[in-house]
Amino acid sequence: MTQTLDINPKSHPRRTVERTEGGRIRAEHASAGDADYDGLGRELAAAISGEVRFDAGSRALYATDASNYRQVPIGLVLPRSAEEVVKTIALCRKYGAPIVLRGGGTSLAGQGCNVAVLIDMSKYMHDIVSIDYEARRAVVQPGCVLDHLRAAAERQHLTFGPDPATHDHNTLGGMLGNNSCGVHSIMSGRTSDNTERLEILTYDGLRMRVGPTSDAEFAAILAEGGRRAEIYGALDAFRRRYRDLILAKYPKMPRRVSGYENLEQLLPENGFNVARALVGTEASCVTILEAELRLIPSPPERAIAIIGFEDVFAAADVVPDVLTFGPVACEGIDHLLVEFVLKKHLHADDLSVLPDGKGWLIVEFGGDTGDEAAAKAQKLAEAYDGKAKGTALLRDREQQKRIWEVRDAALGATAHVPGFPETYPGWEDSAVHRDNLGDYLRELKQLFHKYGYEASVYGHFGDGLVHCRVPFGLRTEQGVASWRSFMDDAADLVVRYGGSLSGEHGDGQARAELLEKMYGRELVRAFAEFKAIWDPEGRMNPGKVVDPYPITSNLRVGPAYQPHEIETYFAFKEDDGSFARATRRCVGVGACRRRDSDKSVMCPSYMATNEEKHSTRGRARLLFEMLHEGPIDNPWRSSEVEEALDLCLACKGCKHDCPVNTDMATYKAEFRAHYYKGRLRPAAAYSMGLIRDWSRLAGHMPGLANFALQTPGLSGALKRVAGIARQRPMPRYAHQTFRRWFEHHASAGQQQPDRTVMLWPDTFNNYFRPATAIAAARVLEWLGYRVIIPDRPVCCGRPLYDWGMLDKAKRLWAETIDVLTPAIRQGIPIVGLEPACVSAFRDELPNLMHGDERAARLSSQVVFLTEFIESQGEAALPRIEGAGLVQMHCHHHAVIKTTAEEAVLKRLGIDYEVMKSGCCGMAGSFGFEAEKYEVSIAAAERVLLPKIRAAGAETAIIANGFSCREQIEQLSDRKTQHIAELIANHLPSRTSD
């Protein structure tokens, strides 16, 4: 039988209103078919103080969520208040424009994208309106991030129970739309179970509060008349008509999240709870303006028992028994997930706590005391001692945090695994009753293998929920046909087990077409009737859940996606040499949208601006759209892409912290190399990007250079010409460079020529802070080494990458390799002091000079100072009393890794604290540029500067990066020390010069 597939999106009207700021827009490329939407954009901009964005870049930015689907919106609105949402929808109604609501943009089924006016409440409407700790109730705006509510509730040992893996950046509005659940749902249930009341707005303009409805309240509503009475009357008739069918056909299981899954809440025995009936409708019925949510007790202490089994099926089989021990969470992971985590180096060290096995249950217990929680966990572990492959008990909070981070990163860990094909959502959250989980998993795995798929399975086993990403092969017609056939078979399988197509993520477009298999034709027609009660014109998120788009339509990377491959400067070896593949590396997890995170460096510009386009995900999506036929129709010359990348600090945080290792610093450099080809760059590109050339000149006459840069008036004029912020003091050139000092220095270690090390005199520590390099030379000599330096000035070219000066960077690398060839041949260790420079050797060098054997060897020979010290084993180091506050450079965190740095600090005996501040905001030239100054300061003021100002005067401020040191010293009254200076200043004796 031949299957005909619809892989083309439904037709939709084109747009053309361009852009915002402060509510202002302009129209561009208008045509007759676009006239209405031009008018809508103009009227919206005039009506609200929020942001109205109908430009190509913004539409491209929001064209997809975390799913397989792509639908370019008509335009984007970021309202500042509920009243502005009301005005927005009124104007959309006037023009007949559909609506789609968006939270954190992490929906995996396609419900977060549509050809509609997209309303994003996460930027402005994100407040906790109130918390009543005694009543255990919280009122929130829909853009409120879940962890913000949880943190506030925990002050009284309460929490909002549902907690998906995206808890630190998803929004409660999105959770209400999808009826999210998460790790602790066995303790708390679904979002619908924790919803008391909602303030809602219908497309036709009715604003009201809904919740449980008593008989008296229902009678009063009907007596009042009007649209509200019409809705309630229709709901009453609906529940009477479909009562028996709902009771008969709805699966009896905790994780039913498919279709309009809460219609039983309309029944009298459930209190005619209209709010709960609307939860999980994926914004296809109403807009939520505010929510009153139930809080539950949160055990203050936790302990985890981990049980290892022969395989994941055996782990699933015992879940019903494990639940009798009273845990608050029960998660399952398989051996493939562990293998993928290790391959991607995501949380490899954190896996050391896993006992033997190839399938594991991670079971958390709560208690008022640590001993109480541990006793419960120990009881479970003892019960399975001898029955399982192994057990482990985690009482330490840091260990518990790390194992949960492994679990939270699972979606990213199963995407873009080296050596494995690309994987996709689509069948990523099916659920069955926990009693049937083991058998269901066995058959699901068999079904994977029937279609030639292999996938890790993991998830919320305590509620029978299975997560996975599957290599569906969506790039070809044959692959799409196979996927579509699999979806039918998978739906039949889960229905046979009495389960739900979705147990957490909703249906959107991914599964809505299959709902008849689960509920039957009559009940699916009832869903359409329920939607029509609220949205008779069908304008709320059309094509999702009800009357859905075909599963195979609107595909983001389907057969129609055929991007042009271009010759690139970087090798992109992790993406098979393809820039196009690199641009689709982002899978939309949204971890880069964390606002107040101590988990990661990324994404400092997003933390400062709360702008999607300044997140790693936003930039990756724009680069993807640039190569896709769509709103951005000028690849490599796109002003929209350049604008988004301009505020990227190139901190490389995403290369490390993003679960799929999106490397935005490299993408930015590649894009700008093409964007500026044959064009003049901004003045800052030449003043700061060529800092090595300017410094070589200044090194011959530092007094004159400092006079020009420090003298009021003259300095200001130079800054204006150079594109540098007038508020920025310029660093002073040292009166003597390190190289010049070294010419007259007699190395104390030269009597041991077989112990030779080369010290890398980077531009910053050579010309501006030679004391750092001098200190490093003394430390290396103290370790018994003869110190040498390159026989002529060389450079890694770090400042060139930010501006895409890659031709010059390659020439500079060629020169550097030639100069260092003798050291490369001899295998002499090359010790760097500036993290940004060492990361250039580790990262940019092999990527730009791919295939050059000398470049590969050089890359492996360069080490950071503390890495070299650690390699010397138990070499004697001075003991340092006192406290230290440590600012890790972003590149140190992302590329070099901080383990050696912390190990050396521990050996020194200093009582140190690594600041959880992320990027300092200076980021090389970024913080000096006039247009970036405010963002730079905002990044520094987020955590870094308050922490430093609060530190005691005796606390040492330790920072290795030149940028970090400049930012701290310019914006506070504190001096910094490089770790080389810290050590050298405490050596018992030093050679004097």
Side-chain angles (χ1 to χ4, degrees), residues 19 391 396-397 414 645 650 706 757 837 888 991:
R19 188 340 163 1
T391 62
D396 180 74
R397 287 189 177 219
T414 53
L645 290 172
N706 286 332
V757 64
C837 295
M888 290 289 188
T991 303

Side-chain angles (χ1 to χ4, degrees), residues 44 47-50 77-91 93 119 121 124-125 129 141-142 199-201 205 207 209 287-290:
L44 282 169
I48 69 172
S49 63
V77 177
L78 289 81
R80 294 179 183 271
S81 65
E83 288 68 30
E84 293 200 340
V85 178
V86 173
K87 292 177 182 178
T88 296
I89 292 182
L91 284 169
R93 183 167 67 250
I119 302 176
M121 302 193 200
Y124 297 117
M125 294 181 63
V129 178
Q141 292 182 313
E199 183 182 6
I200 61 169
L201 175 68
R207 182 177 179 180
R209 293 189 179 273
T287 297
I288 295 173
L289 301 176
E290 199 171 86

